């Protein structure tokens, strides 16, 4: 797998619009669209993504401007937080000499 930042950025945009275009405004995620995205793309990162309360909680945390929708900027906040968490996880592994 080749890694490049530009490709990762394009992928991030592609993934967002793949889900945001399903219903309502195609530039924002509704709660249902967010739920589908979390279940399909990030199930292994999230505890109980099938749980309605979990989706509700994530939605509330992401929805900075409180309009009941998650726009791309709000979505990127989630991805950045998860990426930082992943990085810390791998740095810990490194410390343990498991890498
Ligand atoms: Ca919003």
């Amino acid at each position: 797998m080749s890694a490049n930042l530009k490709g990762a950025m394009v992928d991030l945009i592609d993934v967002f619009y793949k889900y945001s275009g399903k219903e309502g405004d195609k530039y924002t995620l509704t709660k249902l669209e967010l739920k589908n995205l979390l279940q399909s793309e990030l199930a292994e990162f999230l505890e109980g993504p099938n749980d309605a309360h979990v989706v509700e909680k994530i939605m509330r945390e992401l929805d900075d401007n409180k309009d009941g929708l998650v726009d791309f900027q709000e979505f990127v906040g989630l991805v950045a937080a998860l990426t930082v968490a992943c990085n810390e996880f791998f740095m810990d592994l490194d410390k343990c000499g498991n890498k």
Side-chain angles (χ1 to χ4, degrees), residues 28 62-71 74:
T28 54
L62 291 183
D63 187 13
D64 278 338
N65 63 0
K66 306 292 171 213
D67 63 356
L69 299 164
V70 173
D71 61 26
E74 291 165 342

Side-chain angles (χ1 to χ4, degrees), residues 32-95:
L32 179 65
E33 289 167 340
L34 177 68
K35 185 174 166 227
N36 289 337
L37 187 154
L38 294 173
Q39 285 175 345
S40 306
E41 308 287 338
L42 294 170
E44 63 272 57
F45 283 97
L46 303 161
E47 283 176 46
N50 294 316
D51 182 340
H53 294 294
V54 173
V55 176
E56 193 88 40
K57 187 168 171 269
I58 293 171
M59 182 91 193
R60 267 202 310 273
E61 282 173 11
L62 291 183
D63 187 13
D64 278 338
N65 63 0
K66 306 292 171 213
D67 63 356
L69 299 164
V70 173
D71 61 26
F72 186 71
Q73 198 177 330
E74 291 165 342
F75 168 70
V76 167
L78 170 71
V79 176
L82 287 173
T83 307
V84 169
C86 276
N87 184 42
E88 282 167 4
F89 175 76
F90 283 114
M91 280 171 20
D92 278 348
L93 280 184
D94 211 17
K95 259 183 264 164

